[in-house]
Amino acid sequence: MLLEALDGEETVVLRAGAASVQVQVEPVGRWFEAYVRRRNRNASASFQELEEEEESSEESDDEEFQLQEYPVLRTLDPKDWKNQDHYAVLGLPHLRYKATQKQIKAAHKAIVLKHHPDKRKAAGEQIVEGDNDYFTCITKAIETLSDPVKRRAFDSVDPTFDNGVPSKSEGKENFFDGFAPVFERNARWSSKKHVPKLGTMESSFEEVDNFYSFWYNFDSWREFSYLDEEEKEKAECRDERRWIEKQNRASRAQRKKEEMNRIRTLVDTAYSCDPRIKKFKEEEKAKKESEKKAKAEAKRREQEERERARQAELEAARLAKEKEDEEAKQVAQQAKKEKEIQKKAIKKERQKLRTTCKNWNYFADNEAESVKMMEEVEKLCDRLELTSLQSLNEVLASGSKEDSKAAVEQQVREVNAQLQREKDAEVQARQAARSAEQASGGGGGGGKGWNEEDLQLLIKAVNLFPAGTNARWEVIANYMNLHSTSGMKRTAKDVINKAKNLQRLDPLQKDEINRKAFEKFKKEHSSVAPSIDNAVPSERFDASGSDGNAAPWTTEEQKLLEQALKTYPVSTPERWEKIAAAVPGRSKKDCMKRYKELVEMVKAKKAAQEQVAAKSKK
Amino acid sequence: MAAIGVHFGYTCACVAIFKDGRADVVANDAGDRVTPAVVGYRDTEQIVGIAAKQGRVRNAANTVVRVKQILGRRFNDPETQTHKGETKCQVVSRGEKPYYEITAGDHPEYVAPEDVAKLIFHKMKETAQSALGSDVSDVVITVPFEFAPNQKRALREAAEAAGFHVLRLIHEPAAALLAYNIGQDHTSGKSHVLVYKLGGTSLSVTVLQVNGGMFRVLSTHTDHGIGGESFTQALAQHLASEFKRTFKHDVSSNARAMLKLMNGADMAKHSLSSLGSANCFVDSLHDGIDFECNVSRARFELLCSSLLNKSIQPIQLLLEKAGLSASSINKVVLCGGSARIPRLQQIMREMFPDVELLSSAPPDEVIAVGAALEAGLLVGSDSFVLEEESVTVDVSAADILIKEVDESGAEVLTVLLPSGMPLPARRHHVLSGGGKQSSLCLDIYQRFVMEQPEQLSKIVFRDLQPSEADHNIDVVVTMKRDGSIHVSCVEQTTGKSEVVTITAAAAAAAAAAS
């Protein structure tokens, strides 16, 4: 609720208001945008006023422009409208393609006011009836220019446009004056705005590069539909329309191509004439050259450096080697000298020992002993080291005869013991070597031990399967594996090697083996016999005893046995008595035993053969 | 016209598109509306987003996080040194500038922070364009209020390198206000808004004055020490101690296990914003032992109580600095992912009991939405480029008041034109006087903050026809840019008018001199 005014009060301004202050605000929001837009337009009014103003400015923005009267307007033939300059008709020849849509509208309005047939009729002018009046030209002009597509088509073939391209010779003489206006002129066809300028001699490389890349990729909106010979709209049917369209398209494409060629020629000419390009090229070349030079220089320097380093290294290596050699030589000399000294010393000591010993008469009483002692002393001289010799000599020099003798004898004992040890060691080594040899040689391929039994078994097997048996060595190996007590598995190869080894052995050794085998056999089989055997080895002993004759079967006996076995078949009563009778010197038991052995042998033989056959089959 | 708004944060980036008058956040190819601002370098590729974040467990040395922290800073900047100490990726100096040393390939590579930001921007651009279906590149990017010009430039360059056309960089709190359409509907009135942003690694509180549709930052406070990651850290520590209690293994020294635990804690934290309790499950955390733990919301709040207090503290200080009280705040806007924490919202509500708490939009997306709205505004008004980084406007220095009487007959001052109005400004009021009176008097006062009002002018209407109805007077107050005031009053029934022009002090002095 407002206050009531007191008497005498009047509308008055008492004081000035506070000045505005400036503060920072966040650049966001629509109010901010509106504010900044206003400020940019330098307006200072309140919101509504400004918004209204904005509206009206659109209308009143039209700047004043003069219309230029077209002197031949009245004489134009409306039928020939296509070849007329529509801008000139509307009185805008000075603006042409730069005229805004608004200006064109305004110009049309003005010109219609002046040239409309009704107006002229009112002014008392003679009017040509129908379409033949020149006013039709104005209608056509506004028709063309108010439609953006049609206007562009007309602009494209603007009769006042100079399509000319400066020639090379012209360009060379005065490049910038010659080309700048041409490029500016053609820039109007660019679909992109902000066409780069040709620039001056001082333009940077980027500018020039940008300029040429723009013009080489020039995107022109110029098109040539205005020059179409036939009008599509005039066609009477679809086919005709299509045909016209095709014709037009072809001619337009042709013209467009020509236009692109024209631009291309222009840019090509400019590029070839451009003094700046030449300058850049030269600069580039110079730069490259200098870079190359610098590179070569750097390379050379590097090489030199490397060479020098290598030389230095070699020199150092050589020096080091020389020094080393020198040192080695000195060391060698030193060593030699020392050796010589030592040798001399030893010699001296030895001499001393000998003389001392001699002086003591070799601590011996008789001749023989002294000779022996002499030998021993000589041995000592040979064997003892310098130091021990020295100490010995000292003892000899200082001590009495007994002491000396004891010392010498002790030394002699020690030396002898040493010699003995060495000898033993040698013998042992030799033995070891021999045994190793035996082990490797005797074992054939695998170094498997062959004990007596195995050897025996091998000999037996070899005899059992004579040469010519099918897969003889496999069979033998199998036989061995079956019968060996040592449990070692032997291959055919092992067996062959051993057999060959045995063959190579001198007959003496073979005999030895056989004998050994026999002894063993005897040991095993006859617990009583040995004494008898040993006592009378030459006597034939009739084996009527419980044990029977353990002597091996001779071939003759064998034959007799076989004959007897055949003569008396299994069914014969008292068979074994009869067989024993047939074989002289053998008891019934012997024969049975022998038979069993034979049967076993045959069985084993068969089994071995079968196994090998099976293996080979596989 | 479509446009893009990008919020590029320390931990996460979010993109929104403005289309058909609406701004919406776009989900990325992984289906998330917020993309972690993490770039992982492998020997053949660079990965951006959630995959990089998860791959950090294995590839910590070649994964760049929080790149915004050193963007546009020099190597010897203390912030850069802090970042160097915190990140697991090597930071080296090359020509005074920080670079990341990436050792994914055969040779160590040096990557500028701008390049990392570029990759993230590229990802955001792809996300936006796949949603729009066209290659719109006009973008508005948000920056923190305290960003220095160098940092802004670096960010702008990174965005441009990614193929964006940057319309403008705007401040995050302003974007948040835009997203809630504060001060955009009508221009009258002056209000104060508090923008509380608790992001992944930073807390920023800003008080803005909204007047005449424009935002003005009164004071701001930023703390890089607290954020969502601090909460996750606290939770992860708790989980680690739980693990130690159960399995007698100390995982706190195992960097990879801790990273796994952090990821697990992060998920649990997110679900705790909506659920009363959450399960945290980490496969093969330590020595092949799987870890499972249930955390209740109360437990989480207990763990974070000191952190929460710490994140609330700056508000009071800030208000004092701005010379405002909690009651003079009209609106509170919550943004940043951690503003989702229910306890935090509750504390805020207790702090500002009569104030509208704006948290209806997802807080981590609000800023991107605001940026998109601004982008939509800018892309509509074509070819308008703001040259300078900061914009100053003329505003009125004092409240313009008129003296009236209320029903009880006491004199009151009514504000015709508040201080801080952007100029030029115009306000229209209809004042009424008693119908029985034959004369009316309009006393115009001006009042600076905390000062006695002083009278500027007196406008008197005489010879009014006393009637039953009240006399209505249209008062239009217009203030020009220099501060001069034009008051025109028209009595509605009789059409009588009075006009006064009060020149501004500076202008008056100039007039007197001439």
Side-chain angles (χ1 to χ4, degrees):
Chain A
M1 200 71 75
L2 288 168
L3 297 168
E4 190 169 5
L6 302 172
D7 286 344
E9 281 187 334
E10 282 184 11
T11 299
V12 67
V13 175
L14 296 165
R15 67 180 78 213
S20 65
V21 289
Q22 290 205 322
V23 293
Q24 273 195 11
V25 296
E26 294 298 301
V28 295
R30 63 190 184 97
W31 293 103
F32 173 82
E33 295 308 320
Y35 175 84
V36 174
R37 205 180 311 129
R38 262 193 330 270
R39 198 178 65 169
N40 283 358
R41 281 166 48 175
N42 238 348
S44 76
S46 64
F47 299 160
Q48 278 88 348
E49 281 163 348
L50 271 160
E51 268 145 37
E52 282 156 23
E53 207 174 287
E54 204 174 324
E55 291 282 306
S56 62
S57 75
E58 291 273 312
E59 298 286 313
S60 63
D61 215 17
D62 314 345
E63 54 185 291
E64 280 306 306
F65 65 98
Q66 285 98 36
L67 291 181
Q68 283 180 8
E69 192 69 24
Y70 195 34
V72 290
L73 180 62
R74 282 159 196 278
T75 62
L76 287 176
D77 181 2
K79 287 201 181 93
D80 196 23
W81 68 271
K82 250 203 157 161
N83 295 327
Q84 285 158 10
D85 184 351
H86 302 307
Y87 287 113
V89 168
L90 291 183
L92 296 165
H94 53 297
L95 288 169
R96 303 208 71 84
Y97 68 98
K98 286 177 192 144
T100 64
Q101 209 49 245
K102 225 179 273 169
Q103 285 170 330
I104 289 170
K105 257 186 209 158
H108 178 243
K109 205 169 164 187
I111 218 146
V112 163
L113 283 175
K114 200 168 165 193
H115 293 282
H116 198 270
D118 292 352
K119 286 266 178 197
R120 280 186 282 146
K121 217 183 259 173
E125 237 178 272
Q126 200 63 44
I127 306 294
V128 186
E129 282 305 313
D131 281 345
N132 292 332
D133 187 62
Y134 73 94
F135 186 74
T136 315
C137 296
I138 296 173
T139 318
K140 279 283 177 198
I142 190 67
E143 240 173 49
T144 311
L145 295 186
S146 59
D147 181 346
V149 176
K150 281 187 186 163
R151 184 175 173 200
R152 202 168 71 168
F154 175 68
D155 280 344
S156 292
V157 294
D158 194 336
T160 61
F161 183 75
D162 180 7
N163 278 321
V165 171
S167 72
K168 245 179 200 176
S169 54
E170 278 169 4
K172 278 222 169 85
E173 276 163 27
N174 202 341
F175 177 76
F176 293 103
D177 291 350
F179 277 99
V182 182
F183 276 112
E184 254 167 58
R185 198 162 65 214
N186 282 294
R188 73 188 253 197
W189 306 127
S190 171
S191 346
K192 286 179 208 140
K193 276 175 188 166
H194 310 298
V195 180
K197 290 268 191 302
L198 180 60
T200 60
M201 197 62 203
E202 280 76 39
S203 300
S204 71
F205 176 74
E206 280 75 32
E207 280 165 2
V208 175
D209 189 50
N210 186 26
F211 174 81
Y212 280 111
S213 64
F214 178 88
W215 278 98
Y216 271 119
N217 300 314
F218 191 67
D219 184 12
S220 166
W221 54 261
R222 202 175 184 187
E223 44 107 2
F224 298 91
S225 55
Y226 195 79
L227 299 178
D228 289 349
E229 312 224 328
E230 325 266 347
E231 270 183 84
K232 199 170 84 177
E233 288 81 357
K234 279 185 187 160
E236 276 162 2
C237 64
R238 203 172 64 161
D239 287 337
E240 195 182 347
R241 202 152 48 233
R242 277 194 185 162
W243 178 80
I244 290 170
E245 222 167 276
K246 200 175 155 197
Q247 292 283 315
N248 288 345
R249 219 170 18 234
S251 69
R252 278 180 214 171
Q254 176 68 21
R255 288 212 177 84
K256 182 85 186 170
K257 208 170 159 191
E258 277 166 21
E259 164 70 6
M260 287 325 285
N261 270 338
R262 189 181 67 83
I263 296 283
R264 185 73 197 212
T265 321
L266 169 68
V267 184
D268 274 341
T269 320
Y271 190 81
S272 63
C273 295
D274 197 334
R276 289 171 304 180
I277 294 291
K278 213 179 269 173
K279 191 178 79 184
F280 291 142
K281 269 184 184 158
E282 268 159 22
E283 276 170 10
E284 182 80 356
K285 208 171 162 188
K287 201 171 131 197
K288 249 183 203 163
E289 203 107 299
S290 66
E291 258 173 26
K292 212 167 159 187
K293 231 179 241 170
K295 220 185 230 170
E297 181 75 9
K299 205 173 174 187
R300 196 174 55 78
R301 214 171 297 141
E302 198 187 341
Q303 215 158 24
E304 270 174 19
E305 193 65 31
R306 218 181 292 143
E307 185 67 21
R308 213 166 14 231
R310 213 173 50 133
Q311 287 286 350
E313 214 170 272
L314 280 178
E315 185 72 8
R318 196 175 58 78
L319 281 177
K321 202 172 175 225
E322 265 174 21
K323 203 173 157 194
E324 221 168 76
D325 285 354
E326 188 71 20
E327 270 171 13
K329 217 166 162 188
Q330 267 177 0
V331 167
Q333 268 177 354
Q334 192 81 21
K336 206 172 165 190
K337 232 183 241 167
E338 265 174 27
K339 219 171 175 183
E340 252 161 40
I341 290 170
Q342 215 167 6
K343 224 174 186 177
K344 244 179 215 167
I346 280 193
K347 224 174 201 173
K348 209 172 122 200
E349 290 300 320
R350 278 179 188 159
Q351 199 60 43
K352 210 168 154 190
L353 181 64
R354 275 187 204 120
T355 43
T356 355
C357 287
K358 205 171 183 181
N359 285 349
W360 293 113
N361 202 11
Y362 295 105
F363 317 107
D365 304 333
N366 53 34
E367 195 75 351
E369 218 173 299
S370 85
V371 167
K372 197 181 166 208
M373 206 59 198
M374 221 145 100
E375 258 177 32
E376 294 295 338
V377 169
E378 274 312 301
K379 227 191 260 170
L380 276 185
C381 289
D382 270 359
R383 299 287 307 185
L384 282 184
E385 299 282 315
L386 179 60
T387 44
S388 36
L389 266 177
Q390 264 170 349
S391 57
L392 181 57
N393 277 340
E394 262 167 45
V395 172
L396 289 183
S398 62
S400 61
K401 190 183 171 183
E402 304 311 309
D403 286 348
S404 310
K405 192 180 175 185
V408 169
E409 271 172 357
Q410 197 203 333
Q411 284 291 344
V412 166
R413 260 201 308 281
E414 269 174 28
V415 166
N416 276 345
Q418 201 185 343
L419 276 175
Q420 189 59 41
R421 266 204 305 280
E422 277 173 18
K423 218 186 256 167
D424 282 355
E426 204 181 327
V427 166
Q428 235 164 17
R430 214 178 296 150
Q431 268 178 348
R434 209 171 23 213
S435 68
E437 199 186 334
Q438 265 184 350
S440 62
K448 290 164 182 166
W450 287 78
N451 56 20
E452 298 289 337
E453 270 178 63
D454 282 352
L455 278 177
Q456 237 180 309
L457 198 62
L458 173 65
I459 294 166
K460 202 163 144 192
V462 168
N463 290 336
L464 189 58
F465 307 102
T469 315
N470 194 16
R472 182 187 179 203
W473 295 108
E474 270 95 4
V475 173
I476 291 174
N478 249 323
Y479 179 78
M480 296 278 303
N481 292 340
L482 272 176
H483 292 85
S484 168
T485 50
S486 66
M488 240 182 259
K489 287 280 163 209
R490 293 172 205 283
T491 62
K493 216 169 191 177
D494 290 343
V495 176
I496 290 177
N497 278 338
K498 190 61 200 171
K500 274 191 183 154
N501 253 353
L502 283 177
Q503 270 177 351
R504 242 183 282 134
L505 287 176
D506 46 334
L508 201 100
Q509 256 177 321
K510 230 184 221 167
D511 279 356
E512 200 180 19
I513 291 171
N514 282 340
R515 204 184 64 223
K516 265 192 204 157
F518 178 58
E519 271 170 16
K520 204 169 165 207
F521 176 77
K522 267 209 293 200
K523 245 190 246 166
E524 278 171 9
H525 291 272
S526 51
S527 48
V528 186
S531 57
I532 307 161
D533 256 15
N534 276 357
V536 272
S538 56
E539 253 182 10
R540 177 59 58 92
F541 187 83
D542 210 330
S544 55
S546 61
D547 214 88
N549 197 353
W553 289 67
T554 58
T555 338
E556 216 158 303
E557 280 172 341
Q558 177 75 26
K559 261 187 190 160
L560 282 173
L561 176 65
E562 281 171 20
Q563 191 55 52
L565 283 171
K566 272 179 201 160
T567 329
Y568 309 106
V570 190
S571 55
T572 318
E574 313 260 298
R575 186 187 175 205
W576 286 106
E577 277 82 4
K578 283 171 188 163
I579 292 172
V583 184
R586 297 280 169 188
S587 67
K588 174 184 153 192
K589 220 171 192 175
D590 277 346
C591 288
M592 277 171 84
K593 206 172 173 188
R594 180 65 187 166
Y595 175 72
K596 265 180 193 163
E597 265 175 28
L598 284 174
V599 167
E600 242 168 68
M601 212 183 273
V602 168
K603 258 187 198 164
K605 197 173 169 180
K606 264 188 190 157
Q609 268 175 332
E610 265 170 19
Q611 207 165 350
V612 171
K615 222 181 249 174
S616 63
K617 244 185 229 166
K618 274 176 197 169
Chain B
M1 284 299 243
I4 304 169
V6 173
H7 170 222
F8 181 68
Y10 288 100
T11 43
C12 289
C14 181
V15 62
I17 55 172
F18 178 85
K19 200 181 176 189
D20 308 328
R22 286 170 50 83
D24 288 307
V25 172
V26 188
N28 63 15
D29 46 8
D32 299 326
R33 291 157 77 84
V34 175
T35 308
V38 180
V39 179
Y41 284 82
R42 305 259 174 94
D43 48 355
T44 51
E45 56 183 352
Q46 296 111 26
I47 316 163
V48 182
I50 189 78
K53 191 181 176 187
Q54 282 164 353
R56 194 164 168 239
V57 176
R58 305 190 130 271
N59 196 20
N62 293 324
T63 303
V64 178
V65 293
R66 245 183 280 170
V67 63
K68 189 175 161 191
Q69 203 170 14
I70 63 165
L71 192 68
R73 288 187 191 270
R74 304 186 79 77
F75 185 72
N76 47 22
D77 194 296
E79 275 291 322
T80 311
Q81 293 304 319
T82 320
H83 180 75
K84 194 180 171 215
E86 283 169 357
T87 185
K88 299 210 167 40
C89 193
Q90 278 292 325
V91 181
V92 295
S93 166
R94 291 181 108 199
E96 299 265 302
K97 283 187 170 171
Y99 278 81
Y100 288 105
E101 189 179 304
I102 300 296
T103 51
D106 298 335
H107 306 288
E109 265 185 81
Y110 296 97
V111 180
E114 286 80 3
D115 291 334
V116 180
K118 184 189 118 182
L119 288 174
I120 297 168
F121 275 125
H122 198 80
K123 173 93 176 171
M124 305 321 288
K125 188 173 167 225
E126 275 179 5
T127 303
Q129 289 186 347
S130 67
L132 281 170
S134 60
D135 55 345
V136 172
S137 58
D138 295 314
V139 71
V140 167
I141 299 168
T142 59
V143 292
F145 188 73
E146 75 278 4
F147 246 38
N150 266 342
Q151 292 170 281
K152 286 185 187 172
R153 194 178 319 122
L155 195 72
R156 183 186 280 265
E157 276 164 11
E160 274 164 5
F164 274 128
H165 173 236
V166 182
L167 295 169
R168 191 174 291 174
L169 300 178
I170 64 171
H171 291 139
E172 285 165 3
L177 295 202
L178 270 189
Y180 282 108
N181 204 21
I182 294 169
Q184 299 298 296
D185 281 342
H186 50 92
T187 60
S188 63
K190 184 165 96 171
S191 61
H192 291 103
V193 183
L194 181 94
V195 178
Y196 184 84
K197 174 173 182 274
L198 188 57
T201 55
S202 67
L203 162 74
S204 79
V205 193
T206 315
V207 177
L208 293 104
Q209 188 188 67
V210 182
N211 202 340
M214 292 206 206
F215 309 136
R216 183 180 150 206
V217 173
L218 293 181
S219 66
T220 181
H221 173 88
T222 308
D223 183 356
H224 284 297
I226 193 163
E229 278 187 10
S230 323
F231 296 105
T232 310
Q233 187 86 43
L235 188 56
Q237 287 297 340
H238 166 72
L239 293 176
S241 64
E242 280 289 303
F243 185 77
K244 194 178 173 186
R245 201 167 57 83
T246 321
F247 298 102
K248 310 280 179 276
H249 284 301
D250 189 12
V251 293
S252 52
S253 55
N254 183 345
R256 257 174 73 177
M258 279 313 278
L259 272 174
K260 276 186 190 173
L261 208 54
M262 283 286 278
N263 279 347
D266 211 31
M267 303 244 255
K269 184 185 77 174
H270 288 171
S271 34
L272 279 178
S273 290
S274 48
L275 300 173
S277 73
N279 235 343
C280 178
F281 189 79
V282 181
D283 269 338
S284 172
L285 178 63
H286 187 86
D287 270 356
I289 303 171
D290 295 349
F291 174 59
E292 190 173 8
C293 182
N294 197 290
V295 186
S296 68
R297 189 187 281 179
R299 162 72 68 188
F300 175 68
E301 282 164 5
L302 193 70
L303 286 169
C304 300
S305 58
S306 68
L307 285 171
L308 283 168
N309 280 338
K310 202 178 150 199
S311 50
I312 290 300
Q313 259 167 10
I315 297 176
Q316 207 55 50
L317 294 172
L318 195 73
L319 288 178
E320 277 170 25
K321 211 164 81 184
L324 296 167
S325 64
S327 56
S328 58
I329 297 291
N330 304 90
K331 283 189 171 90
V332 173
V333 176
L334 292 181
C335 44
S338 299
R340 279 203 173 97
I341 297 175
R343 175 80 191 140
L344 189 80
Q345 296 195 358
Q346 194 190 337
I347 294 174
M348 295 294 283
R349 232 171 247 124
E350 283 164 9
M351 203 168 204
F352 300 99
D354 342 305
V355 170
E356 193 182 352
L357 198 64
L358 296 170
S359 59
S360 57
D364 46 356
E365 298 171 5
V366 162
I367 294 173
V369 169
L373 285 170
E374 177 67 20
L377 269 180
L378 290 178
V379 83
S381 63
D382 51 345
S383 74
F384 166 61
V385 183
L386 194 68
E387 302 296 337
E388 62 265 62
E389 285 293 333
S390 63
V391 183
T392 57
V393 299
D394 300 305
V395 297
S396 55
D399 292 329
I400 304 299
L401 311 156
I402 192 159
K403 194 193 267 177
E404 286 180 295
V405 284
D406 58 12
E407 286 80 24
S408 61
E411 289 184 354
V412 288
L413 292 166
T414 311
V415 178
L416 289 182
L417 199 78
S419 65
M421 276 293 279
L423 302 179
R426 187 169 78 163
R427 281 287 176 279
H428 178 230
H429 297 270
V430 177
L431 303 171
S432 54
K436 305 219 165 50
Q437 294 161 348
S438 64
S439 67
L440 282 175
C441 171
L442 290 80
D443 289 326
I444 312 285
Y445 287 81
Q446 75 174 0
R447 182 180 62 187
F448 292 98
V449 188
M450 321 301 280
E451 272 180 46
Q452 278 301 312
E454 47 188 10
Q455 195 170 15
L456 288 180
S457 168
K458 185 188 280 289
I459 300 165
V460 178
F461 281 88
R462 291 203 176 275
D463 307 326
L464 297 171
Q465 292 290 322
S467 64
E468 284 303 308
D470 285 353
H471 299 296
N472 282 335
I473 299 178
D474 280 329
V475 181
V476 175
V477 184
T478 313
M479 194 187 258
K480 285 195 187 166
R481 231 191 263 182
D482 57 357
S484 57
I485 309 160
H486 185 86
V487 185
S488 61
C489 312
V490 178
E491 210 283 325
Q492 280 181 350
T493 47
T494 58
K496 282 191 176 179
S497 67
E498 291 286 335
V499 174
V500 290
T501 301
I502 306 163
T503 51
S514 61

